[in-house]
């Protein structure tokens, strides 16, 4: 029983991915996505501020 051989072996390291150059279409697409995310965040904040209206359903009498 050797202590060095026990346990899981680490997988070999993957080479780092090189950053690919972005052309004008990619830049425009990324900018459009950022703007849409910003709009969605604003709408969510606005909707969360309002909350639910007061409940006005059927009231229970409390009798058993």
């Amino acid at each position: 029983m050797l202590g060095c051989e026990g346990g899981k072996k680490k997988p070999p390291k993957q080479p780092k991915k090189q950053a690919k150059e972005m052309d004008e279409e990619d830049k425009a697409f990324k900018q459009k996505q950022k703007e849409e995310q910003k709009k969605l965040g604003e709408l969510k904040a606005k909707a969360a501020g309002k909350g639910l209206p007061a409940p006005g359903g059927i009231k229970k009498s409390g009798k058993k």
Side-chain angles (χ1 to χ4, degrees), residues 57-64:
I58 301 171
K59 295 183 180 179
K60 294 183 179 179
S61 64
K63 294 181 182 177
K64 289 187 176 181

Side-chain angles (χ1 to χ4, degrees), residues 14-25:
Q14 298 291 328
K16 292 184 179 179
K17 294 182 180 179
Q18 296 178 354
K20 63 177 181 178
E21 296 180 20
M22 293 177 19
D23 58 352
E24 295 299 321
E25 291 179 14

Side-chain angles (χ1 to χ4, degrees), residues 1-60:
M1 289 183 42
L2 298 174
C4 295
E5 295 178 8
K8 295 182 180 178
K9 292 186 179 181
K10 292 183 180 178
K13 289 188 176 181
Q14 298 291 328
K16 292 184 179 179
K17 294 182 180 179
Q18 296 178 354
K20 63 177 181 178
E21 296 180 20
M22 293 177 19
D23 58 352
E24 295 299 321
E25 291 179 14
D26 290 337
K27 289 180 183 178
F29 181 70
K30 292 278 185 180
Q31 184 67 26
K32 187 176 178 182
Q33 280 186 332
K34 285 182 183 179
E35 290 174 4
E36 288 178 4
Q37 288 291 338
K38 189 175 181 181
K39 287 180 184 178
L40 284 174
E42 291 173 359
L43 289 174
K44 284 182 183 180
K46 187 183 283 187
K50 291 183 180 179
L52 296 174
I58 301 171
K59 295 183 180 179
K60 294 183 179 179

